[in-house]
Amino acid sequence: MDAFSQLEKRRFWILVIIVSISGFSQGMLLPLISAIFEKDGISSSMNGLNATGLYIGTLLVSPFMEAPLRRFGYKPIIIGGGMLVFISLLLFPLWKSVVFWYVLRLLIGIGDHALHFSTQTWITSFSPQQRLGRNIAIYGLSFGVGFAAGPLFAPLVNVFEGLPFIVSGILCMLAWSLVFMLKNDFPDIIKGKPGNERLSARFKGTMAVAWLAFLGPFGYGFLESTLNAMYPVYALRNGVEFTSVTIILATFSVGGIISQLPLGMLSDKIGRSPVFLVALGGGSISFFIASTVETSTTAVIAMFFIAGLFSGSIFSLGISYMSDLTPKHLLPTGNLLCGIFFSLGSLTGPFLGGLFLEFDAGFSFLLLISLFLAVLFLVSFIGKLKQRPIAA
């Protein structure tokens, strides 16, 4: 039994390392390509459109991910996804073209989704219930640390424009090679079940039991893309220095990294729903206060840090919540839907943020984010109340 637990422990940490390097590549690509395009005089609208390639790739491949996982198991999907990511990264320096780079980002979106879908489902399938929140929190933490470290490598562009892509590609390849140390495994599915249930039926069944949990990935996708893509534009227009903007965004990430594990462990003890509601409510209040103190950069930095402590964990909390609500044979579908909702949130954020900036509303951009989180809080609270009589 002890040898088996050691085996699971090694598998868990290898999967965590793979995810952290994936986060690193994503975190580096966003600011790096934006800066290169800005320097080359590419319009901001084209720059923003190019950034959507990652999320559109995720959405395009999502309906086709579950069947190969059920048929071939976790390891081949991770190998295929990782290979697509590091090969695409190494191809960037070959030809600088908006269209070519968009295609490469699309392929990275597909590869990353294969990676995340497989590792997420694998971790949720073998984690014991009393450690599920902790394990998923570490998973989210590893991605967050990698994502936060990624931009630090973007200045390598000053040495040679292709160098950040090459370094990132090599790191991804090294992390990816660790998966060959793992023995393949399959989802619990299909033990005693042919697994030929239609995808639409599985989607419908999973949505019926776990729709509340998908608000976490959707909300985090909205936050991440809106804060990184649209808030800098708003802040710069309001006279905030670029250096201060990067510090503001970094403090949100640091807040999320610090609270990820404590909130995950707390959710193991008192339940996912109350911790999820606290995370949404605390984030909404923090962004509301930030919108009232925008004249002080220091105050905004402090409130972004507090907002990160609360809402920076809603993605991993959502995955743990989904795993609690979803039957074992539907776990792959649940993890697939987490990825889809994250991508939908990531596409919705810049769209709404862009509309806000275009129409120049008479209130703070941060108030928009606060209202968004408040709506998610209300939907979650009302949804949980409506679930109680059914549970009883």
Side-chain angles (χ1 to χ4, degrees), residues 14 67 119 141 146 184 248 285 338 346 350 387:
I14 286 174
T119 52
L141 176 66
N184 193 23
I248 288 168
I285 292 167
C338 281
S346 300
Q387 273 188 342

Side-chain angles (χ1 to χ4, degrees), residues 276-315:
F276 188 55
L277 287 170
V278 167
L280 290 172
S284 177
I285 292 167
S286 301
F287 279 116
F288 174 76
I289 295 172
S291 74
T292 65
V293 294
E294 285 184 300
T295 51
S296 168
T297 302
T298 306
V300 172
I301 288 171
M303 294 319 302
F304 261 68
F305 175 72
I306 295 169
L309 287 175
F310 283 106
S311 55
S313 302
I314 58 176
F315 180 80

